[in-house]
Amino acid sequence: MNEAIAIFQVEARENLELIEQGLLDLLDRPEDRDLVDAVFRGLHTLKGSGAMFGFDALAGFTHHCETAFDRVRKGEVAATTDLVSAVLAARDHMRQLLEDPSGDHGAAGDALLADLERAVREADGAAAPETPKAGATTWRVKFELPADAFRNGANPLALLNELRDLGEAHVVVDTSRVPPLSRMEPTDLHLGWTVTLTTEHGRSAIEDVFIFVMDEMTLSIEAVDAEAAAPQEAPQAAPQAAPQAAPQDAPVQAAAEPAQAPVSAAKPAAVAPAAPAAEPAEAGGAKAAKAAESVRVPADRLDELMDRVGELVIAQSRLSQIAAGGTDVALRAVSEEIERLSGELRDTMMVLRMVPVSTLFGRFRRLVHDLARETGKAIELSTDGESTEIDKTVIERLADPLVHLIRNAADHGLETAEDRAAAGKPATGRIRLSAHQSGGEVVITIRDDGRGIDRDRVRAKAESQGLIEPGAAISDHDLLQMIFHPGFSTAAAVTNLSGRGVGMDVVKRTIEGLRGSIDIASRPGEGSEVSLRIPLTLAIIDGLLVRVGHGRYVIPLDAVEECLELSLDEDLRSRGRSFISLRNSLVPFLRLREMFDTGTPPELHQKVVVVSTGAERIGLVVDQIIGDHQTVIKSMSKLHSGLPTFSGATILGDGGVALILDVGHLVAKGQQQEAQMREAV
């Protein structure tokens, strides 16, 4: 039962997400009846399944919301902005009741229901024009439940009664699936039903009857001519069929007793040709096959599997090293085969962990809706590149930074409608989220068309906090990076949205923890753009193994542009300026031997590894390039986690440890060194 409840909670969370997305779409398209029906079905499903699994508070609260929203579905009230916002707030309360069913949420729930009732009353006079009804329609409804329907708690009698509640119904039982007595399972369901229903309700009302069993059943709903569908006495079943049907007498009787219209055990050939009746069965089979294509797997099992794949890669690396050092041809062949298989397994595992950023971007529609109501600004959110995929762990850790950046754009960046009109801009401010893959990174950009960053205010705040000396020269890049300093805020007052100088610091620390980098650009009066560069995965990367002194280090291969040779003479000539000429451009470089204080003399022929992040690049001087290395990233210990130069460590094939260089930090350090040298000149 605990496992069933856990599955219900997972599916209920997904249902709540669909309800929220439907409500947000409804704000843009309030006349869309399909959206209204979809939201209503979501509420109906949540209410029914919540009651089934003992979440009575959730079922009761959702029932009131469903009742209110049913008036929208029937066209009695319009889907106004206030009404949809009230249902959104109620949806948040449903989430709380789902996560903490034993908590005391009564007072909060009563207040939300009061707000919802008030929104319905206000929308009562603004009912959407309803399409005139052309009178009652006759429908032929054919359905078959799966054989294990009884064991799963389905009740065909309840479905038939709900259909009768919609209008005049004539029910015919299909016994064509009843097996011989020798092969019959008493707990299996072998019957089907054909219902001729005359009702003023539409197709969606009929579909709602089967909402809890829709995914597993065969259902056909078609409008028919009333005269052609007039009830006819079905022929008597053949005498020889009686012994086969005998074991099912009890279910057939049970289905017949509540019926007001005559029920027959005749086969459906007496009602409709057999060929059309086969089509829904084929469709149902296709649906079952499609459902079997995917399997729900807990995220922690994927993480555990990823750890095992990482250990396999390390073991394969050791095997390759042993095979390369020996003369056994058979061992080398086996080593190469295992290397190929482990590489394919790694790539497959990486794909399993990848999820589209649409799962992340979809969360912010609600955030922007709430920000617009709180700030009184008209805000439009647009997204691009939602199909771009990124590691699920990265997705989870990106949520908070993006929330801070979007809140900052809405509060600081976008102007009020009056200020935008004075600046010749549209009244609606725009925030755009986009994502695209660049090599081994995903670049996520947050762009707004607001006022831009006031550099004078940023500089004044930085000087007042002692971050820079008054009047000191500072590059535009470094000035804009000041907004990520802890406690830094240019807000005039503290509000619910900003002003404490905490949000942007959280953004910087989180992105650096992901081995990523932040670029920021701003144009006065036109808006700002923040670009987050994030590695595709945090688990396994391809790296370039290098030696500096007696130590070995890994440089992420995606950041490497090229490798050059730096002779001892050139190294001596570049002392004091640390630049190399690369195709008519000067590139600063860092001597890692000096940074790491190796205490060893320089090699005769040193190498320069040119790395880049975005448009910035530097050279890293190393003693030897050992070769490429499949790197399983291990996090640093608490004692070493504060070292900014390294983003992790890995175990080599010989059992030794190599530190992974943080390219973003090194590039920033190289660019800072370049700026200092230019100022000195």
Side-chain angles (χ1 to χ4, degrees), residues 527-604:
S528 302
E529 178 179 304
V530 179
S531 297
L532 310 179
R533 292 183 168 272
I534 310 296
L536 278 173
T537 178
L538 302 179
I540 300 177
I541 63 171
D542 288 323
L544 184 68
L545 188 63
V546 300
R547 180 177 61 81
V548 180
H550 299 302
R552 289 172 292 181
Y553 303 88
V554 175
I555 304 173
L557 198 57
D558 293 320
V560 176
E561 287 193 354
E562 57 185 298
C563 300
L564 308 171
E565 185 170 309
L566 181 69
S567 66
L568 183 58
D569 293 339
E570 291 176 332
D571 184 24
L572 294 174
R573 282 199 302 270
S574 63
R575 291 284 170 177
R577 56 188 182 94
S578 297
F579 282 94
I580 57 173
S581 178
L582 185 61
R583 286 183 291 279
N584 298 323
S585 64
L586 292 178
V587 177
F589 63 83
L590 300 174
R591 294 176 173 84
L592 295 185
R593 188 191 319 102
E594 296 177 1
M595 283 188 63
F596 300 158
D597 194 16
T598 62
T600 58
E603 297 282 337
L604 185 60

Side-chain angles (χ1 to χ4, degrees), residues 143 159-167 195 197 206 209-210:
F143 67 95
L159 301 177
L160 293 171
N161 287 335
E162 286 192 50
L163 289 174
R164 292 189 185 96
D165 291 340
L166 297 178
V195 182
L197 176 65
I206 301 174
V209 171
F210 303 97

